[in-house]
């Protein structure tokens, strides 16, 4: 600690200089005498105590370490928010598709993406698997935001417990992703699902970020809990999937002979008029005999109108290993079923009457409103 010393200077005329130095504790006083007459001059002198230097260095190192740790935690919390937010948006979209029985847009992998998401493996005890992911990602993102903004955490949990919750959540997510990747490679060999791979990447990344954030010493103390969580996830998924009858989903094992499905719903006058119009302009519907969405599209038109549609079957000889789609379907570049080609425009997925009427130029009027 620096102290302030004062030098008092006094002298009679023509007297010799006299200097005395006295040290009292941590204060130094320097006395000098010079000059004409009696005069006093105060000089400030700054002194440093060598004993305080180690304490200052220790405080500085502690502050530096604290700032580095705070910066690292801030980056980790931002990753929780960003990656958790991306995962939440993805699983929300997939949950919506599952609940509305809609086709997924598959940027990679074509129709196989939708086949995987509509399979029994995308449901756990009757609940869509993406819904569990939506809750998990939402929890990660929410805790990340609150840790980042230092706001009060829900249920009154502290920061340390919040990070343990994150560890448990990301462990369950990583375990579920590992299980589903195994199913994807064994039950759907040759198929590709970009949404599944993205979710697995996010889950594993969040898991490893959480491990790094807590540190090896703390993770070792919780390793028993992590193993219990992972085991619970594996047992739950296994029991859910074993409740369904074994169905071969691998293209190398499937052997489906061609069959037709009877359309049972009656046709409305509007459906018949629209079907005639689509046929007249050369619009075509491409589908597969095993595609449930294709059957639902025909059921929407009804028995009479469905017979008027210009329908193209892409697997007229059945489906088995090595089967290739009909050349007419390959030329269109089909990515999923059903696919409509209307006025040269390719439309994937089921379409309602209003969409088909607008795309084909069919005039809607009060006398023939869509049912």
């Amino acid at each position: 600690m620096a102290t302030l010393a004062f030098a008092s200077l006094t002298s009679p005329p023509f007297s010799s200089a006299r200097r005395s130095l006295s040290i009292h504790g941590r204060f130094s006083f320097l006395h000098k005498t010079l000059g004409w007459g009696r005069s006093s001059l105060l000089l400030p002198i700054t002194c440093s105590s060598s004993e305080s230097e180690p304490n200052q260095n220790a405080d500085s190192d502690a502050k530096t370490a604290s700032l580095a740790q705070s910066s690292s935690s801030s980056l980790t919390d931002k990753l929780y928010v960003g990656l958790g937010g991306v995962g939440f948006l993805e699983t929300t979209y997939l949950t919506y598709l599952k609940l509305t029985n809609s086709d997924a847009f598959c940027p990679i992998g074509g129709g196989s993406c939708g086949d995987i998401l509509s399979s029994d493996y995308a449901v756990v005890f009757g609940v869509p698997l993406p819904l569990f992911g939506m809750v998990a990602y939402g929890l990660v993102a929410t805790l990340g935001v609150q840790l980042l903004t230092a706001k009060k955490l829900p249920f009154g949990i502290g920061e340390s417990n919040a990070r343990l919750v994150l560890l448990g959540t990301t462990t369950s997510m990583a375990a579920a992703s590992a299980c589903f990747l195994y199913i994807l490679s064994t039950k759907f060999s040759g198929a590709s699902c970009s949404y599944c791979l993205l979710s697995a990447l996010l889950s594993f990344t969040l898991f490893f970020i959480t491990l790094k954030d807590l540190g090896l010493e703390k993770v070792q103390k919780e390793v028993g809990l992590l193993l219990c969580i992972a085991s619970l996830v594996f047992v739950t998924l296994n029991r859910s999937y074993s409740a369904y009858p074994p169905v071969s989903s691998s293209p190398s094992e499937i052997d489906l002979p061609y069959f037709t499905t009877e359309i049972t719903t009656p046709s409305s006058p509007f459906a018949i008029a629209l079907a005639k119009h689509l046929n007249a302009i050369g619009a075509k519907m491409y589908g597969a005999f095993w595609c449930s969405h294709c059957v639902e599209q025909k059921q929407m038109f009804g028995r009479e109108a469905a017979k008027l549609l210009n329908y193209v079957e892409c697997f007229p000889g059945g489906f088995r290993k090595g089967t290739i789609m009909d050349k007419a379907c390959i030329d269109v570049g089909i990515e999923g079923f059903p696919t409509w080609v209307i006025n040269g425009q390719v439309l994937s997925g089921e379409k309602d009457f209003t969409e088909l009427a607008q795309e084909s130029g069919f005039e809607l009027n009060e006398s023939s409103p869509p049912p």
Side-chain angles (χ1 to χ4, degrees), residues 53-116:
E53 292 180 359
N55 293 332
Q56 290 179 344
N57 293 336
D59 291 342
S60 178
D61 292 342
K63 290 180 180 179
T64 302
S66 177
L67 289 174
Q69 184 178 3
S70 176
S71 177
S72 176
S73 297
S74 177
L75 176 60
T76 300
D77 297 338
K78 290 178 181 178
L79 290 175
Y80 285 141
V81 175
L83 298 179
V86 172
F88 179 78
L89 292 176
E90 181 208 17
T91 49
T92 299
Y93 169 66
L94 296 180
T95 301
Y96 167 78
L97 295 179
K98 193 69 178 175
L99 294 177
T100 59
N101 201 24
S102 304
D103 285 333
F105 170 72
C106 303
I108 302 175
S112 62
C113 181
D115 296 337
I116 295 171

Side-chain angles (χ1 to χ4, degrees), residues 348-359:
S348 296
E350 292 181 61
K351 304 299 176 185
D352 58 31
F353 285 138
T354 302
E355 290 179 279
L356 292 173
Q358 291 176 347
E359 296 294 340

Side-chain angles (χ1 to χ4, degrees), residues 284 286 312-316 323-334:
K284 295 182 179 181
Y286 296 82
V312 179
E313 173 60 51
C314 293
F315 296 94
T323 301
I324 301 176
M325 284 193 301
D326 189 80
K327 186 177 183 302
C329 300
I330 296 176
D331 293 341
V332 172
I334 291 176

Side-chain angles (χ1 to χ4, degrees), residues 111-226:
S112 62
C113 181
D115 296 337
I116 295 171
L117 295 174
S118 61
S119 69
D120 292 336
Y121 293 103
V123 178
V124 178
F125 292 115
V127 180
L129 185 62
L131 183 58
F132 290 101
M134 186 176 70
V135 173
Y137 283 119
L139 177 61
V140 170
T142 301
L143 289 177
V145 169
Q146 293 183 322
L147 287 171
L148 187 63
T149 57
K151 290 184 177 180
K152 186 177 180 180
L153 297 172
F155 311 113
I157 61 176
E159 179 180 347
S160 179
N161 290 331
R163 298 194 183 279
L164 287 179
V165 172
L166 285 169
L167 179 61
T169 304
T170 56
T171 299
S172 63
M173 294 164 63
S177 295
C179 183
F180 201 76
L181 286 178
Y182 171 76
I183 293 173
L184 190 64
S185 62
T186 56
K187 303 296 183 180
F188 298 92
S189 58
S192 176
C193 177
S194 54
Y195 297 107
C196 309
L197 298 178
L198 174 60
S199 184
L201 177 62
L202 292 173
S203 297
F204 286 126
T205 302
L206 287 170
F207 174 63
F208 288 119
I209 287 175
T210 307
L211 291 182
K212 183 179 182 301
D213 181 41
L214 289 178
L216 180 60
E217 182 178 351
K218 196 163 187 176
V219 171
Q220 287 177 338
K221 295 180 181 179
E222 307 295 340
V223 67
L225 177 62
L226 301 185

Side-chain angles (χ1 to χ4, degrees), residues 8 20 41 47 118 126 139 230 263 294 308 326 332:
S8 177
S20 64
L41 176 64
C47 302
S118 61
L139 177 61
I263 306 301
C294 301
L308 299 174
D326 189 80
V332 172

